[in-house]
């Protein structure tokens, strides 16, 4: 039994791989035992044109946990702000029309899109987040991006959406999706690590973040000040205290303090031109 278990837990063997190592009689006999072992870990899903299953054995669950731990480390880094900003832009570009499951369910009812309605059950099932994402990516219908958005939004993980949409999965006719899921986990883990390396080497987050994302990172700065900065951070452009006063409708001293705060944070450079000071974005 230990040998049979290894063909699932150490490496997820296929019947074809067994044929390469054993003769057909032995391979077929072993395959029956392997299938019986895996049946105890099978989780079935029937919202595709045909039923599929994933074997949630020890190896698969451990790799799921490790991938989700990498995911959580990513969310706890400063990269989360940058990713959230990109996610906001992505949502705008995708024109996602439905803010919750109920709205999408109602729309699918009207359109008679029963296959999408079946996939909506994924959003309420008690399964790991990455397994939910994998099954959505395995589907092939109009509202895939919408379901990914709802899955991420449900767990307040919108910052991961841009990465998820870069993952491409091969569509196979196999009922056992376990090997595909393991490939997905490896690809996802690689994408997360690359994103973390990229963010760790970036010192220009303030040039990319939205006002909302900056507000999460710098709660002591007013949204009014952050909105001014986001709208006035073009390279080779000069900004003045008078501009701040006009845009934000504040007095001179308030505007001056805000602009000087950006200089102190090294977001702006400052120089004197004639009788007044001008502020401009720091070159990266």
């Amino acid at each position: 039994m230990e040998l049979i278990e290894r063909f699932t837990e150490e490496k997820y063997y296929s019947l074809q791989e067994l044929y390469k190592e054993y003769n057909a009689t032995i391979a077929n006999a072993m395959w029956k035992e392997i299938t019986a072992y895996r049946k105890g870990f099978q989780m079935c899903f029937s919202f595709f044109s045909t039923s599929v299953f994933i074997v949630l054995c020890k190896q698969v669950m451990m790799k799921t946990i490790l991938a989700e731990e990498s995911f959580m480390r990513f969310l706890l880094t400063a990269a989360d702000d940058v990713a959230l900003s990109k996610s906001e832009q992505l949502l705008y570009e995708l024109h996602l029309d439905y803010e919750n499951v109920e709205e999408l369910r109602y729309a699918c009812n009207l359109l008679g899109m029963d296959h999408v309605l079946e996939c909506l059950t994924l959003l309420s099932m008690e399964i790991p987040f990455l397994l939910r994402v994998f099954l959505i990516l395995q589907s092939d219908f109009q509202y895939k991006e919408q379901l990914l958005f709802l899955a991420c939004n449900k767990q307040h993980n919108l910052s991961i959406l841009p990465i998820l949409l870069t993952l491409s999965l091969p569509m196979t006719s196999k009922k056992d999706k376990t090997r595909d899921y393991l490939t997905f986990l490896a690809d996802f883990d690689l994408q997360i690590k690359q994103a973390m390396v990229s963010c760790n080497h970036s010192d220009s987050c303030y040039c990319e973040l939205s006002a909302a994302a900056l507000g999460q990172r710098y709660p002591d700065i007013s949204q009014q000040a952050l909105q001014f900065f986001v709208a006035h951070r073009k390279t080779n452009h000069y900004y003045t205290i008078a501009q701040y006063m006009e845009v934000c409708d504040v007095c001179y001293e308030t505007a001056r303090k805000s602009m000087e705060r950006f200089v102190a944070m090294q977001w702006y450079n400052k120089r004197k031109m004639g009788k007044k000071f001008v502020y401009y974005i720091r070159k990266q």
Side-chain angles (χ1 to χ4, degrees), residues 7 21 23 27 34 43 59 80 99 135 192 223 228 233 236 244 249 282:
F7 288 128
E21 298 186 20
N23 66 49
I34 290 170
M43 189 167 191
Q59 177 203 179
D80 185 40
E99 295 184 0
L135 291 167
I192 286 290
Q223 268 299 303
F228 176 88
R233 58 182 177 187
N236 302 317
Y244 192 104
D249 192 23
R282 291 176 59 88

Side-chain angles (χ1 to χ4, degrees), residues 113-151:
M113 299 175 70
D114 295 335
H115 59 300
V116 181
L117 287 171
E118 290 175 347
C119 286
L120 287 175
T121 60
L122 280 172
L123 300 174
S124 56
M125 292 178 68
E126 293 297 325
I127 56 177
F129 173 71
L130 289 179
L131 176 55
R132 192 192 321 275
V133 167
F134 167 77
L135 291 167
I136 291 173
L137 288 171
Q138 277 284 303
S139 61
D140 184 22
F141 54 87
Q142 181 182 356
Y143 287 108
K144 182 185 294 187
E145 291 88 356
Q146 182 73 59
L147 284 176
L148 282 175
F149 162 68
L150 292 174

Side-chain angles (χ1 to χ4, degrees), residues 31-276:
W31 186 247
K32 285 184 180 178
E33 292 188 53
I34 290 170
T35 334
Y37 174 78
R38 291 176 179 177
K39 194 163 285 187
F41 300 101
Q42 278 184 18
M43 189 167 191
C44 298
F45 304 92
S46 57
F47 40 79
F48 297 97
S49 54
T50 180
S51 294
V52 299
F53 65 86
I54 291 180
V55 177
L56 296 176
C57 58
K58 287 177 282 187
Q59 177 203 179
V60 173
M61 287 307 297
M62 182 56 67
K63 289 187 175 180
T64 300
I65 291 168
L66 291 174
E68 294 207 344
E69 284 179 353
S70 294
F71 169 40
M72 292 308 297
R73 281 196 296 272
F74 171 76
L75 292 180
L76 291 172
T77 65
D80 185 40
D81 291 337
V82 178
L84 184 57
S85 182
K86 291 178 180 177
S87 181
E88 290 170 354
Q89 178 62 27
L90 181 64
L91 295 179
Y92 174 78
E93 292 171 359
L94 287 174
H95 302 292
L96 299 182
D97 299 320
Y98 307 105
E99 295 184 0
N100 53 57
V101 178
E102 288 68 31
E103 288 185 15
L104 182 56
R105 193 188 305 278
Y106 179 71
C108 293
N109 265 320
L110 291 179
L111 297 171
M113 299 175 70
D114 295 335
H115 59 300
V116 181
L117 287 171
E118 290 175 347
C119 286
L120 287 175
T121 60
L122 280 172
L123 300 174
S124 56
M125 292 178 68
E126 293 297 325
I127 56 177
F129 173 71
L130 289 179
L131 176 55
R132 192 192 321 275
V133 167
F134 167 77
L135 291 167
I136 291 173
L137 288 171
Q138 277 284 303
S139 61
D140 184 22
F141 54 87
Q142 181 182 356
Y143 287 108
K144 182 185 294 187
E145 291 88 356
Q146 182 73 59
L147 284 176
L148 282 175
F149 162 68
L150 292 174
C152 294
N153 195 40
K154 180 181 179 183
Q155 296 188 225
H156 309 291
N157 292 337
L158 274 182
S159 55
I160 204 68
L161 185 59
I163 291 177
L164 297 180
L165 290 174
T166 64
L167 300 174
S168 58
L169 298 180
M171 299 295 292
T172 63
S173 57
K174 295 177 182 176
K175 288 190 175 183
D176 185 354
K177 297 288 183 181
T178 311
R179 287 168 69 94
D180 292 338
Y181 179 54
L182 288 170
T183 301
F184 160 77
L185 288 176
D187 189 17
F188 175 81
D189 194 51
L190 178 62
Q191 294 287 340
I192 286 290
K193 286 174 180 174
Q194 289 176 342
M196 290 182 72
V197 168
S198 173
C199 289
N200 287 339
H201 284 84
S202 172
D203 59 355
S204 58
C205 292
Y206 63 89
C207 290
E208 303 174 28
L209 303 182
S210 67
L214 284 169
Q216 291 177 3
R217 198 170 190 188
Y218 304 99
D220 54 325
I221 304 179
S222 71
Q223 268 299 303
Q224 185 183 56
L226 292 174
Q227 285 168 2
F228 176 88
F229 175 77
V230 167
H232 299 81
R233 58 182 177 187
K234 294 179 182 177
T235 54
N236 302 317
H237 282 64
Y238 293 94
Y239 306 110
T240 64
I241 294 174
Q243 279 180 286
Y244 192 104
M245 292 171 61
E246 181 180 355
V247 171
C248 299
D249 192 23
V250 294
C251 68
Y252 175 86
E253 188 59 21
T254 300
R256 187 192 66 80
K257 285 182 179 179
S258 294
M259 296 295 271
E260 290 297 325
R261 173 77 181 274
F262 295 144
V263 173
M265 296 176 72
Q266 298 188 347
W267 292 5
Y268 276 159
N269 279 330
K270 173 185 174 183
R271 64 182 294 188
K272 193 167 187 179
M273 293 183 69
K275 293 184 178 181
K276 64 181 179 182

